Amino acid sequence: MVKPTVKAVLLSPQRELGAKPLLVVGSSLGTSTVLWTETAALLGDEYDVIGWDLPGHGISPTTTEGFDVAELADAVVDLVDSVSPGVNFHYAGVSLGGATGLQLGINHGNRLRSLSVQCTGAKLGTPEGWLERAATVRKLGTPVMIQGSAERWFAPGFMDRQPEISSRLLHALRDADRFGYSFCCEALASFDVRGQLGSITVPTLAISGVEDSVAPPSFAEAVAAGITAGGGTAQAVALDGVAHLAPAEAPAAVAELMRTFMKENGL
């Protein structure tokens, strides 16, 4: 396995980096930094917000070799160091981006000021399910996932209420590279850090959506319980009317939860 390369988009106003605390945000499988557009806009006056894309998604190059979630976490640290060497940062991520956050907490906790993991868990799905999806997308391309993803990603009625946001996210899925997407599926197939949560010492906020069938609130509760059992500080919050993409579905609620948490816990 080779550590992938990930690239970032500045989501806060243009200014010299370093004057504000750094917030790094990660997106879910099949989306891009557009997932964070609304939430980042609400936080951008107080934080320098940069979003990174998964391999083969958004502006990140695809890869010809597999990787695991730990290598994604290493790639995020490399990215931060290319922007602002050695700086400690707040991190927030959704689904696979959130799994990467847990891995950052385990392997690079000394670099984090706070951690927000959203719509994710210490293990997601089954290895068989992810490997089957990887094979399907590798053969047929990402458009084959659009209908199922639309059903999983959004709470009932969201696509009707917010056609522009939902369309933007589904276009990101359509445009994702089939091989990058498939390698991400394979990374999720091998991801299971349930036994390592107790080693996370950075303050952690686990946000879930009540309507999320992929990572229901019980997953966030289990993450918080695993961290606190090891002596860490963590809390779980469930949002009504939200499914799997909390920052896009409820940007005001997510931004307020994150702002409060980062101010209370960001060292």
Side-chain angles (χ1 to χ4, degrees):
M1 288 190 178
V2 175
K3 181 167 58 179
T5 298
V6 299
K7 294 195 172 180
V9 175
L10 180 67
L11 298 175
S12 52
Q14 286 278 355
R15 59 182 173 240
E16 185 176 351
L17 290 177
K20 309 278 186 183
L22 180 62
L23 166 61
V24 179
V25 297
S27 302
S28 62
L29 176 67
T31 71
S32 71
T33 55
V34 299
L35 172 61
W36 282 97
T37 301
E38 282 75 25
T39 296
L42 295 170
L43 295 169
D45 288 342
E46 298 162 87
Y47 297 90
D48 289 330
V49 187
I50 61 172
W52 66 277
D53 283 319
L54 292 162
H57 295 61
I59 65 166
S60 287
T62 194
T63 175
T64 56
E65 295 187 61
F67 51 85
D68 59 22
V69 178
E71 286 163 321
L72 276 181
D74 293 344
V76 170
V77 173
D78 287 350
L79 171 70
V80 171
D81 284 341
S82 74
V83 173
S84 193
V87 72
N88 286 4
F89 57 98
H90 299 281
Y91 182 85
V94 177
S95 196
L96 177 51
T100 305
L102 291 175
Q103 200 76 62
L104 281 166
I106 293 163
N107 294 355
H108 300 282
N110 62 313
R111 296 297 302 277
L112 299 181
R113 298 174 71 165
S114 75
L115 175 61
S116 175
V117 293
Q118 304 180 16
C119 308
T120 195
K123 178 180 184 294
L124 293 166
T126 65
E128 299 77 19
W130 287 118
L131 295 176
E132 181 181 342
R133 189 191 294 193
T136 298
V137 172
R138 196 169 268 125
K139 180 179 180 183
L140 300 175
T142 52
V144 74
M145 295 304 304
I146 288 175
Q147 184 176 348
S149 295
E151 293 168 359
R152 285 187 295 271
W153 283 358
F154 307 118
F158 180 82
M159 292 181 71
D160 294 329
R161 292 192 307 273
Q162 297 284 358
E164 185 181 335
I165 293 173
S166 48
S167 173
R168 196 171 65 210
L169 289 160
L170 290 168
H171 276 94
L173 171 59
R174 183 199 65 190
D175 294 342
D177 176 77
R178 68 173 71 189
F179 301 106
Y181 185 104
S182 299
F183 283 127
C184 286
C185 290
E186 290 164 357
L188 281 164
S190 64
F191 177 71
D192 185 351
V193 295
R194 289 175 293 180
Q196 298 167 266
L197 293 173
S199 68
I200 296 177
T201 56
V202 61
T204 302
L205 171 66
I207 297 175
S208 60
V210 171
E211 306 286 338
D212 192 352
S213 61
V214 179
S218 59
F219 283 33
E221 292 162 7
V223 164
I227 293 171
T228 55
T233 302
Q235 64 187 81
V237 179
L239 297 175
D240 288 325
V242 169
H244 194 54
L245 300 182
E249 294 180 273
V254 169
E256 186 56 33
L257 284 168
M258 287 177 57
R259 178 185 293 109
T260 301
F261 189 77
M262 288 188 287
K263 288 192 183 309
E264 287 177 351
N265 295 288
L267 303 175

